[in-house]
Amino acid sequence: MKENHRLPSAFFQREVTEVAPEMLGKILVRKFDDGSVQKYTITEVEAYRGRDDKACHANKGMTPRTEVMFREGGLVYVYLIYGMYWMLNIVTGKLNDASAVLIRGIEEIHGPGRVGKALQLDKSFYGTDLSRSDRIWIEDTDMKVTYKALPRVGIDYAGEPWISIPWRFILEK
């Protein structure tokens, strides 16, 4: 296996439905406050495609919460749900695309709330540049991946066709 290398911003500055499945098998690296470093294989993601996607937070336009989604890809978008879980998203596309990939699963950790908890995320990660951060980044691998594409989870509020579009990508073993 080749040595892992941090993904550059250009990797993320493409269309979200291209980026999302290509994130599977990549290595999410987290350096914690105590100096320890953990590496996790990305196993499940969901694509959220800008203003036209009724399930995407950017659908209603730019707000203080979604402002980072309107920047260029390669930045972290975190938000709190249920007052207790920080959800990890990676902004994709060009300036004003307002798209992002939700990290739903990493090696041995299933569910986006659990991912945020294991990574000890908080508001301070909002807007972090993955190409420069010393706390969190994603590394490339030469892993050949196969995956399945399924509908996204928990977006019934968006209605059809958004509920049924297969923009959830799961690494197959």
Side-chain angles (χ1 to χ4, degrees):
M1 182 177 212
K2 73 179 179 181
E3 184 179 333
N4 294 340
H5 297 284
R6 185 184 295 234
L7 291 173
S9 296
F11 174 87
F12 303 101
Q13 293 171 359
R14 300 176 294 135
E15 207 280 323
V16 69
T17 58
E18 293 175 20
V19 175
E22 289 182 22
M23 288 178 65
L24 296 171
K26 303 295 190 228
I27 305 298
L28 177 61
V29 183
R30 173 72 167 95
K31 183 176 182 182
F32 295 92
D33 292 343
D34 67 2
S36 66
V37 175
Q38 293 289 322
K39 296 185 174 194
Y40 308 91
T41 301
I42 298 173
T43 59
E44 184 177 354
V45 297
E46 284 182 348
Y48 289 88
R49 192 180 196 182
R51 297 179 220 205
D52 295 333
D53 180 353
K54 298 266 191 254
C56 182
H57 289 169
N59 177 256
K60 305 252 188 295
M62 189 186 305
T63 66
R65 177 185 187 186
T66 64
E67 182 274 331
V68 73
M69 292 182 72
F70 289 81
R71 297 192 218 162
E72 287 190 331
L75 304 177
V76 172
Y77 167 45
V78 291
Y79 61 90
L80 190 64
I81 63 163
Y82 309 127
M84 59 194 303
Y85 298 112
W86 288 95
M87 309 297 269
L88 176 60
N89 297 261
I90 311 303
V91 176
T92 65
K94 303 294 183 196
L95 190 65
N96 291 317
D97 280 355
S99 296
V101 176
L102 170 66
I103 308 296
R104 288 194 55 81
I106 55 179
E107 197 171 4
E108 306 298 321
I109 301 169
H110 307 287
R114 290 185 181 125
V115 168
K117 186 173 182 177
L119 297 175
Q120 298 176 15
L121 299 179
D122 59 32
K123 186 178 180 179
S124 72
F125 284 85
Y126 184 93
T128 296
D129 184 338
L130 293 172
S131 71
R132 295 190 205 142
S133 176
D134 60 359
R135 300 192 299 165
I136 190 168
W137 63 91
I138 298 174
E139 294 180 349
D140 201 359
T141 67
D142 59 1
M143 180 188 286
K144 302 293 183 233
V145 303
T146 57
Y147 64 88
K148 54 186 171 185
L150 299 168
R152 296 175 290 184
V153 176
I155 60 162
D156 290 345
Y157 60 86
E160 290 294 352
W162 306 107
I163 294 171
S164 299
I165 294 174
W167 284 350
R168 177 168 54 120
F169 304 98
I170 302 172
L171 184 66
E172 291 187 319
K173 301 193 183 205

